[in-house]
């Protein structure tokens, strides 16, 4: 059985299955709704139900209060339709956004490589025409035996539609990353869906770009960087990438090579816990401190894109703001999972859109 879902204020009507979430129906129809965690935790996808009946699903009582339910609000990521419904959502169009309908994809693992002792590169050949995506977006990977998919950024350029790369950090005790690190091998079938996310370069804005990444958060900035360089982007681009040690700093040689061939691209690697006796001659310290040192604490006139652990993002935002770069010019990407629990609901006191 299916129902009709009307989205206001754009007035578009799409089909929604009786067991399909509002968010999934919209994304598969190419209609973008604000969202983040996709697990009913963060409240980013909160919408107003104007007409019809819905089932709230597993929405957290912290993300959707009882009085909000009484006011006929719901979380689009877990609410399902019980009749034809009409919702009102904060559909904020961006001139640089590209709207690719979410699709299910099947592929086979071409190869897996150890990028670092804790991060594995997984290269997947997709069936058919592959996946259309915007540099910075991510996919949900389905893990055998698990109900909840895992989100990973696409690490290669969008032009590589039938061969995609995922960078997966091993989470101690994590079933999903455990399987991808230890159970997955070349030739195995893998299922995923996407693209998801609103993390992308605002190409219509000609200001210089700062990419700040930590750990496996390098995936999206790597895709963005290669995409911009191959499109002939001429604005100044700076990648500030942080890891704990030289062993954890991956694609280092690639970025050195790109910097040597593109005068407008600057690469600033930083190691926060490298052995004092090592031959490392680059910056020693955290990635936000490396950015501050490189730009002399002045970030005015830039667009910044941050991807990595929440603690890194928080520190980087604080540093950028101290250097006179503010929310309208800072974009972030971080994933929230059900394992994050109530802590995932905490909002940055510095930056409301985290």
């Amino acid at each position: 059985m299916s129902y009709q879902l009307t989205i206001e204020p754009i007035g578009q009507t799409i089909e929604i299955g009786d067991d399909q979430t509002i968010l999934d129906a919209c994304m598969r129809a190419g209609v973008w709704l604000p969202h983040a965690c996709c697990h009913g935790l963060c409240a980013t996808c909160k919408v107003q139900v104007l007409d019809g009946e819905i089932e709230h699903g597993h929405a957290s009582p912290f993300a959707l209060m009882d009085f909000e339910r009484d006011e006929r609000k719901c979380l689009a990521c877990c609410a399902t339709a019980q009749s034809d419904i009409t919702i009102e959502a904060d559909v904020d169009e961006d001139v640089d956004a590209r709207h690719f309908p979410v699709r299910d994809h099947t592929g086979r693992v071409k190869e897996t490589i150890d990028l670092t002792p804790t991060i594995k590169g997984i290269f997947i050949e997709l069936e058919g025409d592959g996946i259309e995506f915007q540099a910075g977006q991510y996919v949900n990977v389905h893990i055998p035996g698990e109900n909840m998919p895992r989100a990973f950024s696409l690490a290669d350029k969008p032009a590589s539609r039938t061969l995609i790369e995922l960078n997966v950090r091993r989470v101690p005790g994590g079933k999903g990353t455990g399987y991808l690190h230890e159970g997955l091998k070349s030739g195995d079938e893998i299922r995923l869906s996407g693209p998801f996310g609103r993390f992308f370069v605002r190409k219509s804005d000609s200001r210089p770009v700062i990419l700040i990444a930590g750990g496996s958060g390098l995936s999206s900035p790597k895709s963005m960087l290669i995409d911009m360089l191959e499109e002939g982007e001429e604005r100044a681009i700076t990648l500030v990438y942080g890891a704990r040690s030289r062993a954890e700093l991956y694609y280092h040689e690639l970025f050195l090579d790109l910097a040597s061939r593109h005068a407008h691209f600057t690469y600033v690697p930083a190691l926060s816990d490298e052995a004092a006796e090592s031959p490392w001659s680059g910056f020693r310290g955290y990635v936000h401190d490396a950015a501050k040192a490189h730009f002399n604490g002045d970030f005015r006139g830039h667009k910044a894109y941050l991807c990595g652990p929440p603690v890194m993002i928080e520190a980087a935002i604080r540093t950028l703001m101290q250097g006179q770069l503010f929310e309208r010019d800072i974009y972030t990407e971080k994933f929230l999972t059900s394992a994050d629990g109530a802590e995932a609901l905490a909002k940055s006191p510095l930056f409301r859109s985290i």
Side-chain angles (χ1 to χ4, degrees):
M1 180 182 295
S2 63
Y3 303 107
Q4 297 297 301
L5 164 61
T6 301
I7 305 103
E8 299 293 357
I10 62 176
Q12 185 169 343
T13 298
I14 63 174
E15 189 172 281
I16 179 172
D18 60 357
D19 60 350
Q20 185 178 25
T21 67
I22 292 172
L23 180 61
D24 186 69
C26 289
M27 298 294 286
R28 290 179 184 275
V31 178
W32 181 84
L33 295 185
H35 63 282
C37 76
C38 295
H39 303 310
L41 292 171
C42 71
T44 304
C45 65
K46 191 177 297 178
V47 299
Q48 179 73 51
V49 180
L50 300 178
D51 188 45
E53 299 301 322
I54 58 101
E55 169 60 44
H56 285 287
H58 55 271
S60 163
F62 297 99
L64 188 68
M65 303 291 186
D66 287 341
F67 76 88
E68 292 178 306
R69 297 170 193 246
D70 293 339
E71 293 174 349
R72 293 178 58 77
K73 290 183 173 65
C74 71
L75 301 186
C77 73
C78 44
T80 55
Q82 304 295 299
S83 69
D84 291 346
I85 58 174
T86 300
I87 64 168
E88 184 176 41
D90 183 15
V91 182
D92 182 19
E93 286 300 316
D94 190 305
V95 66
D96 292 300
R98 300 188 65 189
H99 300 289
F100 297 116
V102 170
R103 297 283 185 259
D104 296 321
H105 300 273
T106 301
R108 292 200 176 273
V109 178
K110 181 179 180 182
E111 66 174 333
T112 64
I113 61 175
D114 292 327
L115 295 172
T116 79
T118 61
I119 300 172
K120 190 175 288 289
I122 301 175
F123 297 83
I124 303 166
E125 291 182 322
L126 297 177
E127 296 178 353
D129 295 331
I131 183 172
E132 287 187 286
F133 69 95
Q134 192 166 8
Q137 291 190 295
Y138 67 92
V139 293
N140 281 333
V141 176
H142 300 275
I143 306 297
E146 294 290 307
N147 293 326
M148 186 179 296
R150 307 304 197 266
F152 298 102
S153 294
L154 292 152
D156 209 342
K157 57 189 177 184
S160 304
R161 290 178 52 175
T162 58
L163 179 62
I164 63 170
E165 176 189 353
L166 307 179
N167 299 163
V168 180
R169 181 179 67 86
R170 180 69 161 99
V171 177
K175 293 181 179 179
T177 61
Y179 168 76
L180 294 173
H181 268 249
E182 300 166 9
L184 200 64
K185 60 183 182 301
S186 296
D188 282 355
E189 182 179 277
I190 191 165
R191 295 186 303 113
L192 54 92
S193 56
F196 296 98
R198 294 275 285 184
F199 189 55
F200 54 86
V201 175
R202 274 58 182 180
K203 293 182 179 180
S204 65
D205 191 308
S206 61
R207 282 175 286 180
V209 168
I210 304 172
L211 304 171
I212 301 179
S216 60
L218 179 65
S219 302
S220 288
K222 173 177 175 279
S223 177
M224 292 169 160
L225 171 64
I226 294 175
D227 182 51
M228 284 189 287
L229 293 179
E230 292 201 353
E231 285 193 348
E233 180 61 67
E234 296 181 350
R235 81 183 83 180
I237 306 168
T238 303
L239 169 63
V240 189
Y241 174 46
R244 290 182 178 179
S245 65
R246 177 63 186 86
E248 292 289 343
L249 192 74
Y250 69 105
Y251 283 127
H252 179 63
E253 288 74 18
L254 169 65
F255 298 131
L256 289 175
D257 177 63
L258 291 174
S260 71
R261 292 189 288 112
H262 299 275
H264 61 296
F265 169 54
T266 303
Y267 171 50
V268 182
L271 302 181
S272 63
D273 196 25
E274 177 71 350
E277 64 275 13
S278 83
W280 175 253
S281 60
F283 188 87
R284 290 174 179 264
Y286 292 112
V287 66
H288 61 279
D289 291 326
K292 181 177 181 179
H294 180 76
F295 287 95
N296 295 316
D298 186 352
F299 301 101
R300 288 175 293 182
H302 290 82
K303 285 279 190 181
Y305 301 85
L306 284 50
C307 193
V311 172
M312 184 223 84
I313 289 178
E314 185 77 14
I317 290 172
R318 183 179 293 107
T319 299
L320 292 171
M321 287 186 166
Q322 289 172 347
Q324 301 299 300
L325 193 70
F326 299 108
E327 181 176 350
R328 66 181 178 273
D329 295 318
I330 302 174
Y331 304 90
T332 71
E333 178 75 307
K334 67 178 180 180
F335 297 129
L336 302 178
T337 72
S338 57
D340 293 315
E343 292 182 3
L345 303 176
K347 300 293 184 181
S348 168
L350 304 174
F351 196 36
R352 64 175 173 78
S353 61
I354 284 186

